[in-house]
Amino acid sequence: MQGRLSAWLVKHGIVHRSLGFDYQGIETLQVKPEDWHSIAVILYVYGYNYLRSQCAYDVAPGGLLASVYHLTRIEYDIDQPEEVCIKVFVPRKNARIPSVFWVWKSADFQERESYDMLGISYENHPRIKRILMPESWIGWPLRKDYIAPNFYEIQDAH
């Protein structure tokens, strides 16, 4: 089933794939990594002016990684703002997605966390570096194929 936004994107020739609706009735779309930045700008201009959250997950061991964006269209005098969920899938060997920091500044720490935990590199992000783990940490702790080290060293713990 195609939602309102998907129909609008099709009408304007914007390539995407409709993934239906989630349990709350929020439309979910999939876009290709190479198209994501231009589609993000289009969605911002269309009215999705608030990035509610960005997260990422490992689809399957050895499989794809996903970066998920929950966007909201906030307008005055609207009780129920329109929402959409965008998913961008990338192969784990070349996990690169254009950053949307320059579209929604709230993507800053969220994209950094996805980089830190899953190793998805957000191109053109101004400060893409670890945010939760020490800079010396090896690997990506939330990947399903991550092997936890046998020894953890807590430095400067009191």
Side-chain angles (χ1 to χ4, degrees):
M1 184 173 172
Q2 190 177 56
R4 198 169 105 187
L5 179 61
S6 183
W8 184 86
L9 292 171
V10 167
K11 178 182 172 187
H12 291 87
I14 299 167
V15 178
H16 70 288
R17 179 175 168 223
S18 177
L19 298 177
F21 297 86
D22 70 6
Y23 71 98
Q24 294 178 316
I26 296 172
E27 187 174 9
T28 304
L29 305 175
Q30 177 184 344
V31 299
K32 294 180 181 176
E34 59 269 18
D35 299 334
W36 173 224
H37 190 266
S38 58
I39 290 175
V41 172
I42 290 166
L43 292 175
Y44 184 84
V45 171
Y46 183 72
Y48 287 95
N49 52 3
Y50 180 62
L51 173 64
R52 188 164 45 97
S53 69
Q54 183 277 332
C55 62
Y57 65 94
D58 190 348
V59 177
L64 297 173
L65 302 174
S67 186
V68 182
Y69 300 81
H70 293 97
L71 306 173
T72 304
R73 192 175 179 172
I74 297 179
E75 302 175 44
Y76 293 107
D77 299 327
I78 301 292
D79 291 336
Q80 185 63 38
E82 189 177 327
E83 297 180 42
V84 67
C85 175
I86 307 292
K87 294 187 176 187
V88 182
F89 294 96
V90 291
R92 67 192 330 101
K93 298 234 186 270
N94 187 24
R96 303 178 85 59
I97 297 174
S99 173
V100 292
F101 171 83
W102 302 107
V103 180
W104 298 285
K105 296 287 193 245
S106 58
D108 186 10
F109 285 5
Q110 298 175 65
E111 287 182 341
R112 285 181 59 194
E113 182 179 354
S114 295
Y115 166 74
D116 196 9
M117 296 288 106
L118 290 154
I120 299 172
S121 182
Y122 293 89
E123 297 172 337
N124 296 322
H125 189 286
R127 293 176 290 280
I128 196 70
K129 62 179 186 174
R130 291 197 181 270
I131 190 169
L132 300 172
M133 305 303 286
E135 285 292 330
S136 60
W137 195 267
I138 297 171
W140 315 108
L142 290 185
R143 285 191 179 187
K144 291 181 179 177
D145 55 1
Y146 177 72
I147 298 171
N150 291 332
F151 176 77
Y152 294 94
E153 181 178 339
I154 301 175
Q155 296 176 347
D156 300 326
H158 298 116

